[in-house]
Amino acid sequence: MTSFPRTGFWRRAAAWLYDALVIIAFAMLSTVLYLFFIQALLSFEVISLGIATDVSELIQQNPLLRTIRTVLLVVVSISFFAYFWTRGGQTIGMRAWRLKVQQLDGSKITLKQAIIRAICALGGIGNLAVVINLKQPRALQDYIAGTEIVTLTKDENKRIYNSLD
C-alpha cells in the first residue's frame, strides 16, 4: 500500500471552509423542513402558537423545540461527515484539496471512528493541534479516533473518486 504524507493545517483549513459551505446549505434545508414540520403540527392543532406570533418565534420561545432544532442540526452535520468519510474517506472539500481521512494503517475508517472524529473536531478547532507537531501533523480528532488525514497525488485522488461510481 502506498503511503501519503500527512496533511498540514492550511490545506485542512481550506477543505474545512469548502465543507462549511456545504454544511450551511444542509443546515438551511434542515431548518426549512423542521419549520414545515412544526407548521404541520400547528395546522393539525397538535400544538398551538400560544403567545408566539409565528413558527420561528414559537421555536425560540419553547426550550424543547429549540433543543430539537439544535439536535437536528448536529445530527445532520455528523451524518454528512460520517457518510463521506466512511464511503471514500473524502468529503466534498477534502476531494477538492486531495485529502483523505483513513485509519493509521491506510484502511477506511469505521462509522464509530467517523462519529468520534466529527464530535471531537469541535467545529474545526480540533485542527489547531496540527500546528503543534508540524513533522507528523494530526488533529485532536485524529488522535482520539485513531485516524489521520493524508494528502493524495492527483492520480490517487482521481482513482478514489472514480471508484465510488
Side-chain angles (χ1 to χ4, degrees), residues 16-64:
W16 181 86
L17 182 62
Y18 277 49
D19 289 333
L21 296 173
V22 177
I23 290 295
I24 290 168
F26 276 116
M28 291 170 64
L29 176 62
S30 300
T31 300
V32 167
L33 293 174
Y34 184 62
L35 289 171
F36 282 144
F37 175 73
I38 299 300
Q39 185 62 54
L41 293 178
L42 287 167
S43 296
F44 291 113
E45 298 179 354
V46 175
I47 60 174
S48 70
L49 280 176
I51 60 170
T53 58
D54 61 18
V55 176
S56 295
E57 189 177 330
L58 174 65
I59 293 169
Q60 289 301 332
Q61 290 176 358
N62 186 308
L64 177 61

Side-chain angles (χ1 to χ4, degrees), residues 51-154:
I51 60 170
T53 58
D54 61 18
V55 176
S56 295
E57 189 177 330
L58 174 65
I59 293 169
Q60 289 301 332
Q61 290 176 358
N62 186 308
L64 177 61
L65 295 179
R66 209 171 46 239
T67 301
I68 291 170
R69 181 197 61 202
T70 301
V71 169
L72 172 68
L73 294 176
V74 169
V75 168
V76 165
S77 298
I78 290 172
S79 298
F80 167 82
F81 287 108
Y83 172 78
F84 283 103
W85 287 340
T86 57
R87 186 164 181 248
Q90 298 178 298
T91 59
I92 295 165
M94 292 171 79
R95 186 171 295 145
W97 286 93
R98 297 191 341 253
L99 308 181
K100 179 184 174 194
V101 65
Q102 61 186 17
Q103 292 191 43
L104 298 176
D105 66 2
S107 60
K108 286 184 180 182
I109 70 171
T110 65
L111 180 59
K112 180 180 176 181
Q113 286 175 305
I115 292 169
I116 290 169
R117 262 190 120 260
I119 291 169
C120 296
L122 306 171
I125 295 171
N127 287 314
L128 292 177
V130 172
V131 179
I132 295 170
N133 185 356
L134 296 175
K135 291 183 182 183
Q136 289 297 320
R138 286 176 71 202
L140 174 66
Q141 59 269 24
D142 291 319
Y143 284 108
I144 295 171
T147 61
E148 64 182 353
I149 293 186
V150 295
T151 303
L152 303 172
T153 62
K154 288 181 182 179

